[in-house]
Amino acid sequence: MTRMRRRDLLAAGGAVALFAPALARGQIPGGAETILIIGAGLAGLTAALRLRETGRRVIVLEGRSVAGGRVRTIRDPFDNGLYGEAGAARISDVHHFVLHWLNRFGLNAVPFSPPEGRTIFVNGAVSAFSDDPRAGALLEPDLREDERGFLPSELANHYLEGLPENLQSTDVDAEMLAGWADFDGVTWPQWLKKRGASDAAVRLLTLGADSSDISALYVLRQIFMHRAGRAYLKIEGGMDRLPRALADELGDDVRYDCCVTAMEQTRDGVSVSYRENGETKIASGARLLITLPFTILRDMDITPALSPEKRAIISAMPYRSSIRFLLQSDTAFWRMRGLSGAARTNAPCEIWDASFGQLSVHGLLSVTAGGRADMRARFAEMDEQAQLALGSDMAEAAFPGFKSHYQKGFTQNWTDDLWSKGAFAVSHPGQMTRWGEKAWTPEGRIHFAGEHVSPWPGWMEGALWSAERAVQELL
Ligand SMILES: Cc1cc2nc3c(=O)[nH]c(=O)nc-3n(C[C@H](O)[C@H](O)[C@H](O)COP(=O)(O)OP(=O)(O)OC[C@H]3O[C@@H](n4cnc5c(N)ncnc54)[C@H](O)[C@@H]3O)c2cc1C
């Protein structure tokens, strides 16, 4: 389990003692001892449960009518109980907080991808198997002589040799951040070039997702923090089983269809304005835990204003754009061809077999197109049929014949999602070393949690890690 800092814990305890909460309880929910939590995603739900277990009164205000946030399992419109994920789809066996919570609710983690079957890489009209040593040269004919003959995964490792092992640490301090400044000074493609990679190698190593504006430090942290992992897993029955189990246990402490619009803190307590059934209401409490993505928080009124530094981080934090397509086919025909259903293409997109492990005659491909603004713009102008056709085209490029098997589908554009306005937090060069822990330090009675204020941005693990950190601040 990740170590939390003792000094943070002591600082939070001191603040609680200084300001005795004094707001009166009326017909408004909450009260002097209550901890208000905004958002019933994984961060809000687990923080609420942990706090309640220590005897604290909690109220979770959630804007949607269901819990789970960006953990969303899609069952409709698919046939025979087939399901896929609109958001979080896999975990690693190094995600200790996730495994802890799965264990607590008796939920099974099962393999994410088949042990057998080949993965395909596609670049335009050319495709190659990822386990073929000729793949690099086939996909990128301009690859330098000394870069040929490697599997794509080996080529990546070649450029990662000799980097500091502390890149995998979850307990980051200022000294460590200072030592990583060079990695944070450039984008991932720029860093690969600095390490000696040719343009063709950079294209090969970034196949499947656009990383042209992402800090090299962000990518290196993701790689190193997952290095000890032996397997990717998923929750049997759907990823939403975890937030559903949490929400069931919390019962009426989660209030749905309550869209928070503003927040206020005084010397004595906090209050939150929210819309419920067309009315504006106010909840009050001793402290406030905000788990909203910063894309949402940046448009909200907070009185008095947060520190200039925090406001700057909240308004500048970049979020990944991501479009997920779930495409049902009559059969998982790729398995008959010895394929795993996984592919990376220059669309750019990443594909996997979401039906793997499910008892169904149908196949379900998950196609994720990430990053590129031109794709987002094209997608936004299309009707649903055209959007699904775009997803099918991407699947067809990796699995020729897919379109003749395609039956129905679902799409989710996370940038347009009212409740997240983006997929997950990323970092542009300079931001990680400049911001450090400042993104999540509390401001008076206001605390912050969510994947974006953790060392695991983009992962459920980050949401759960941040919740535990916030709970320790609050106790
Ligand atoms: C496309 C995609 C792919 C991903 N893939 C993976 C993966 O494979 N593995 C993995 O581990 N993670 C993955 N993630 C990340 C993972 O889903 C998130 O890190 C995690 O679910 C975030 O939890 P959270 O509690 O921080 O935020 P959220 O889940 O966003 O929770 C915030 C909550 O606040 C609510 N809210 C928003 N506005 C308001 C308001 N005004 N008033 C009240 N409530 C409000 C929202 O409805 C939401 O329920 C993926 C995410 C996306 C989008």
Side-chain angles (χ1 to χ4, degrees):
M1 211 77 31
T2 306
R3 186 157 52 96
M4 297 284 168
R5 303 262 179 80
R6 191 171 149 70
R7 69 178 152 79
D8 291 344
L9 237 148
L10 293 173
V16 174
L18 264 176
F19 301 104
L23 281 185
R25 236 165 132 185
Q27 92 261 55
I28 49 175
E33 301 303 328
T34 305
I35 297 174
L36 300 178
I37 299 176
I38 310 180
L42 285 182
L45 293 168
T46 51
L49 204 53
R50 288 274 293 112
L51 289 164
R52 209 177 66 172
E53 282 169 356
T54 64
R56 300 320 194 262
R57 182 151 189 259
V58 293
I59 291 179
V60 184
L61 296 170
E62 166 57 46
R64 298 174 72 222
S65 53
V66 289
R70 283 168 279 168
V71 180
R72 257 177 234 181
T73 305
I74 307 300
R75 295 177 176 84
D76 183 24
F78 305 120
D79 293 326
N80 306 122
L82 197 65
Y83 57 85
E85 304 298 338
R90 69 191 137 195
I91 55 163
S92 160
D93 59 0
V94 298
H95 291 173
H96 299 301
F97 280 94
V98 182
L99 296 177
H100 162 83
W101 284 103
L102 294 186
N103 198 27
R104 152 100 190 241
F105 290 107
L107 297 172
N108 281 339
V110 294
F112 174 73
S113 38
E116 291 155 358
R118 304 178 87 183
T119 295
I120 293 180
F121 278 17
V122 180
N123 192 8
V126 185
S127 65
F129 294 117
S130 65
D131 58 359
D132 181 347
R134 295 165 306 169
L138 284 169
L139 294 160
E140 286 292 347
D142 291 340
L143 215 55
R144 261 192 342 247
E145 202 53 48
D146 61 300
E147 294 172 327
R148 288 164 184 256
F150 287 108
L151 295 177
S153 57
E154 292 170 347
L155 186 59
N157 285 335
H158 173 66
Y159 288 116
L160 295 176
E161 264 172 32
L163 296 186
E165 279 304 311
N166 68 5
L167 278 166
Q168 64 188 306
S169 176
T170 49
D171 202 11
V172 177
D173 58 26
E175 197 183 328
M176 248 184 233
L177 275 176
W180 297 339
D182 280 354
F183 306 134
D184 199 29
V186 287
T187 64
W188 175 236
Q190 285 168 342
W191 184 83
L192 284 169
K193 288 200 75 174
K194 273 176 75 178
R195 293 285 282 188
S198 66
D199 287 338
V202 172
R203 284 194 299 274
L204 187 62
L205 294 174
T206 55
L207 201 64
D210 179 19
S211 53
S212 54
D213 58 359
I214 311 268
S215 160
L217 179 58
Y218 182 94
V219 179
L220 288 169
R221 292 276 289 143
Q222 295 274 342
I223 295 171
F224 273 73
M225 289 172 76
H226 288 95
R227 255 192 167 176
R230 284 155 303 147
Y232 280 101
L233 305 164
K234 59 185 177 182
I235 302 176
E236 192 175 33
M239 301 299 268
D240 69 350
R241 291 187 68 199
L242 178 57
R244 276 166 48 190
L246 285 156
D248 282 353
E249 184 131 344
L250 283 162
D252 292 343
D253 287 343
V254 184
R255 299 176 63 109
Y256 298 97
D257 298 309
C258 292
C259 176
V260 171
T261 52
M263 304 151 211
E264 184 173 358
Q265 64 171 322
T266 65
R267 200 179 148 278
D268 301 322
V270 293
S271 60
V272 163
S273 305
Y274 63 96
R275 300 275 304 160
E276 187 181 26
N277 297 328
E279 282 177 53
T280 298
K281 299 183 180 175
I282 293 174
S284 64
R287 287 184 172 267
L288 175 62
L289 175 59
I290 302 175
T291 74
L292 303 175
F294 281 177
T295 39
I296 305 284
L297 189 59
R298 66 183 57 142
D299 294 329
M300 280 192 188
D301 284 334
I302 304 183
T303 314
L306 298 174
S307 66
E309 193 166 37
K310 185 78 91 193
R311 276 185 286 145
I313 297 173
I314 291 170
S315 61
M317 187 173 278
Y319 273 67
R320 183 89 173 152
S321 70
S322 188
I323 304 171
R324 173 71 50 79
F325 304 84
L326 297 172
L327 308 169
Q328 180 183 307
S329 51
D330 53 3
T331 61
F333 65 91
W334 49 89
R335 292 182 204 154
M336 270 73 90
R337 298 183 192 168
L339 302 174
S340 66
R344 284 173 168 269
T345 87
N346 66 324
C349 75
E350 189 186 358
I351 302 177
W352 60 78
D353 179 354
S355 50
F356 166 67
Q358 297 190 45
L359 276 179
S360 173
V361 291
H362 300 289
L364 188 68
L365 282 185
S366 172
V367 179
T368 311
R372 282 238 307 262
D374 54 341
M375 164 94 72
R376 227 169 48 229
R378 266 173 65 206
F379 186 88
E381 284 170 8
M382 293 173 175
D383 61 21
E384 197 190 356
Q385 216 180 347
Q387 290 172 345
L388 288 167
L390 176 70
S392 298
D393 283 344
M394 288 188 255
E396 176 80 22
F399 303 101
F402 176 81
K403 282 177 159 179
S404 62
H405 293 273
Y406 171 72
Q407 293 180 318
K408 57 174 94 170
F410 165 91
T411 64
Q412 167 101 23
N413 179 3
W414 284 95
T415 307
D416 284 351
D417 184 80
L418 201 61
W419 306 103
S420 67
K421 296 186 181 167
F424 45 80
V426 290
S427 298
H428 292 162
Q431 294 178 330
M432 289 174 82
T433 44
R434 192 164 66 246
W435 293 344
E437 289 184 4
K438 290 172 203 144
W440 65 69
T441 45
E443 299 238 337
R445 295 175 167 275
I446 301 184
H447 299 253
F448 301 86
E451 55 89 19
H452 53 290
V453 283
S454 82
W456 299 93
W459 295 95
M460 290 169 25
E461 180 73 359
L464 301 177
W465 185 99
S466 71
E468 186 58 31
R469 189 236 330 118
V471 165
Q472 294 200 22
E473 286 164 12
L474 284 156
L475 292 180

